[in-house]
Amino acid sequence: MKKIQMLDLGTQYLNIQTEIDNAIKRVIDSAQFIRGNEVESFEKELAEYLGVKNVIACGNGTDALQIALMSLDLDKGDEVICPSFSFISGAEVTGLLGLSPVFVDVDYDSFLTTKEHILKAITNKTKVIMPVHLFGQGVEMEEIIKIAKQYNLYIIEDNAQALGADYSFSNGEKKKLGTIGNIGCTSFFPSKNLGCYGDGGAVFTNDDNLAERIRLIANHGMKKKYSHERIGVNSRLDSLQAAILREKLKHLDEYIFARQQAAKYYTDNLSSCTGIVLPRQVWYCEHSYHQYTIKVLNNQRDALKDYLQQKDIPTAIYYPQALHKQQAFATIQSNKQAIEVSEQLCNQVLSLPMHTELCIEQLEYIVKSIKQFFEEQ
């Protein structure tokens, strides 16, 4: 059996080697290493795939979130609602810009922020809701939109982990996650469902005025060379990464399907296993399974992780400490809510190997090993 990895980018590359190599050669032959046709073409192709009017590529997913916030012209001290069970990026750039991250809890079953959590956190300083579509599926955006309209708030979707997933509205309409709020952001970090071979990110919006502002900010605040209209940043997706992403975008739906099939195997074969709780798919959204994250009960998470490591099965803990507990936010944290579920999850979650190249032999071995652990207890 081939060695099991959390992410097997090497094998994925071999399956599309000719396409990737030709894309890289295309850039080298053009000598357009910054911006140019590859970036513009990728932006158009991704916009078409997502069904959104504007895609602005940038340097990475964290930059995407920062640029999105900068485009809203918020005031110092304005509050941004962020989940505590998440990666730091959204809350980090909130604090970096002199805004106040207001941390909220998440649902135990889905890992996602709910309307109830958000409603409790709204104050007269709240300006932005930043839902995170975690592990491959989305927050209930239809409810978030209602709240945003009621309180006149912006929505910035952090869609770094669920690009390509479909969201279904109650009227039957479907949209891709990241295209529902005012602004959507994503990352092309190599581990993502659509990942490049370095860093990369993008911002999406259907608002042409916001799109113009975002594009300006990402390019030193200038539309015309050496004429700077506002303070911006230098954040751009380089042409080599854009060319690679153009080829991988063609395979994104099949990559998502492969992840869903691996997840189905896990679910079908671990559903009777006591001692763990399997991830729950929400009814309104497709799950693209960026991660397959179980919850291990009875304080056995670390023991299971060590056991699987001895069996040469890698696992990962996303995330070991809730954001509201991080030292970085000790002086700028503004909310006083109890965030008990996030803290509980940090002690229970364990992500199993999940990628497009998992074979049935590997999946069988992983499942068998998990079952053996609990049988030996």
Side-chain angles (χ1 to χ4, degrees):
M1 181 180 67
K2 186 179 178 182
K3 182 180 179 181
I4 298 172
Q5 301 181 60
M6 280 298 290
L7 181 68
D8 190 358
L9 290 175
T11 303
Q12 186 188 71
Y13 161 72
L14 291 176
N15 289 331
I16 55 171
Q17 182 175 2
T18 300
E19 298 166 62
I20 296 295
D21 290 354
N22 287 341
I24 292 171
K25 186 177 185 302
R26 195 168 66 230
V27 175
I28 294 171
D29 289 344
S30 74
Q32 290 184 323
F33 298 109
I34 304 295
R35 301 192 184 281
N37 177 68
E38 294 294 342
V39 176
E40 292 175 6
S41 295
F42 173 64
E43 289 178 339
K44 291 176 182 176
E45 289 160 10
L46 182 57
E48 182 178 352
Y49 173 84
L50 293 172
V52 69
K53 290 176 69 176
N54 303 283
V55 169
I56 302 94
C58 62
N60 54 67
T62 304
D63 279 3
L65 291 164
Q66 178 177 333
I67 292 165
L69 282 171
M70 291 173 70
S71 74
L72 301 180
D73 291 329
L74 304 172
D75 295 324
K76 299 291 184 183
D78 283 347
E79 294 178 349
V80 179
I81 296 175
C82 310
S84 188
F85 186 73
S86 177
F87 188 59
I88 194 173
S89 291
E92 180 181 38
V93 296
T94 298
L96 182 68
L97 296 173
L99 307 169
S100 296
V102 175
F103 295 112
V104 296
D105 214 346
V106 297
D107 175 67
Y108 181 79
D109 294 321
S110 68
F111 309 109
L112 301 170
T113 304
T114 69
K115 63 178 181 180
E116 289 80 12
H117 298 125
I118 290 169
L119 285 169
K120 290 178 184 178
I122 293 174
T123 72
N124 58 5
K125 291 185 178 181
T126 306
K127 294 295 187 294
V128 180
I129 304 170
M130 191 181 285
V132 177
H133 303 316
L134 201 68
F135 295 153
Q137 67 178 348
V139 174
E140 194 170 0
M141 290 302 299
E142 194 163 7
E143 296 298 328
I144 307 303
I145 290 170
K146 292 176 185 176
I147 295 171
K149 288 181 177 178
Q150 181 180 352
Y151 292 95
N152 194 29
L153 306 176
Y154 292 107
I155 301 172
I156 297 176
E157 296 176 72
D158 182 341
N159 195 34
Q161 298 187 13
L163 189 72
D166 287 324
Y167 181 96
S168 297
F169 288 84
S170 55
N171 65 1
E173 180 186 7
K174 287 190 176 183
K175 287 187 178 181
K176 294 290 186 185
L177 288 176
T179 69
I180 301 168
N182 302 95
I183 304 173
C185 300
T186 200
S187 165
F188 303 123
F189 189 79
S191 66
K192 299 298 190 282
N193 291 17
L194 179 62
C196 57
Y197 294 165
D199 259 328
V203 186
F204 336 124
T205 183
N206 284 305
D207 186 320
D208 291 335
N209 292 326
L210 273 177
E212 183 177 357
R213 205 179 303 168
I214 289 165
R215 200 173 292 279
L216 199 69
I217 292 169
N219 186 34
H220 292 291
M222 66 179 180
K223 191 181 302 180
K224 181 181 177 183
K225 197 169 184 179
Y226 303 127
S227 178
H228 306 272
E229 299 181 22
R230 61 186 294 153
I231 298 295
V233 297
N234 176 24
S235 183
R236 54 201 175 201
L237 181 69
D238 75 66
S239 299
L240 282 168
Q241 302 303 337
I244 291 165
L245 287 165
R246 289 183 69 192
E247 300 307 320
K248 292 186 75 175
L249 178 60
K250 299 171 186 175
H251 298 276
L252 179 55
D253 286 342
E254 66 186 73
Y255 289 162
I256 291 173
F257 181 73
R259 288 172 176 271
Q260 290 169 337
Q261 292 301 107
K264 185 177 187 301
Y265 185 90
Y266 281 141
T267 299
D268 289 347
N269 290 278
L270 288 173
S271 58
S272 62
C273 185
T274 59
I276 62 174
V277 178
L278 303 183
R280 179 178 69 85
Q281 182 171 348
V282 295
W283 63 269
Y284 52 82
C285 185
E286 178 184 30
H287 204 316
S288 61
Y289 289 102
H290 172 60
Q291 300 293 341
Y292 189 93
T293 302
I294 64 174
K295 294 183 280 283
V296 186
L297 306 178
N298 304 317
N299 297 315
Q300 290 190 304
R301 192 265 308 275
D302 293 346
L304 175 59
K305 180 176 176 58
D306 291 342
Y307 182 87
L308 294 177
Q309 187 62 50
Q310 292 170 13
K311 299 273 188 179
D312 294 321
I313 300 171
T315 57
I317 298 172
Y318 307 108
Y319 301 92
Q321 187 175 37
L323 293 180
H324 71 282
K325 290 283 191 178
Q326 298 285 350
Q327 183 179 347
F329 299 112
T331 60
I332 60 176
Q333 183 180 328
S334 60
N335 70 308
K336 304 297 180 185
Q337 285 194 47
I339 307 182
E340 297 172 354
V341 171
S342 293
E343 294 178 19
Q344 182 181 5
L345 290 172
C346 289
N347 293 319
Q348 292 183 344
V349 291
L350 188 68
S351 294
L352 305 181
M354 173 53 67
H355 54 80
T356 58
E357 313 307 317
L358 281 168
C359 67
I360 188 67
E361 185 180 16
Q362 292 172 321
L363 290 166
E364 288 174 347
Y365 178 69
I366 295 166
V367 166
K368 180 182 177 181
S369 298
I370 292 172
K371 289 181 175 179
Q372 284 177 339
F373 170 81
F374 289 103
E375 289 168 359
E376 294 172 10
Q377 299 306 300

